[in-house]
Amino acid sequence: EQLFEAYDTNNVGFVDVGYIRERIRAMQLPPDVQFAFMDSILEVADEDMLSPVEFARIFRAYIADSYAK
């Protein structure tokens, strides 16, 4: 929930996919990781926005996968 709030900079209840893309690029992850992460976001995003439920689902899966490696 706190992570969502940090990304919901306008307090509108949704997160802009473009903002997530900017933050992922800033993390300087390998290109294949960036692509896979953005691909997972675009699979569930409503238009260019993520709801809190979609956001949590993506980040939970990403974190779980990171710890599995």
Side-chain angles (χ1 to χ4, degrees):
E1 188 174 315
Q2 290 175 338
L3 185 59
F4 178 83
E5 290 172 2
Y7 277 82
D8 182 16
T9 57
N10 296 327
N11 295 320
V12 294
F14 289 89
V15 175
D16 185 306
V17 172
Y19 181 68
I20 294 173
R21 185 177 290 121
E22 289 174 19
R23 300 307 310 148
I24 290 171
R25 285 185 186 138
M27 292 169 59
Q28 299 180 343
L29 298 169
D32 60 323
V33 174
Q34 287 184 36
F35 178 78
F37 194 70
M38 285 308 303
D39 193 44
S40 68
I41 289 172
L42 296 175
E43 285 179 11
V44 299
D46 293 331
E47 307 265 331
D48 290 334
M49 304 296 267
L50 287 175
S51 72
V53 172
E54 295 162 337
F55 186 87
R57 184 181 330 146
I58 290 167
F59 277 89
R60 266 193 229 115
Y62 179 74
I63 290 168
D65 186 49
S66 295
Y67 284 113
K69 292 179 181 179

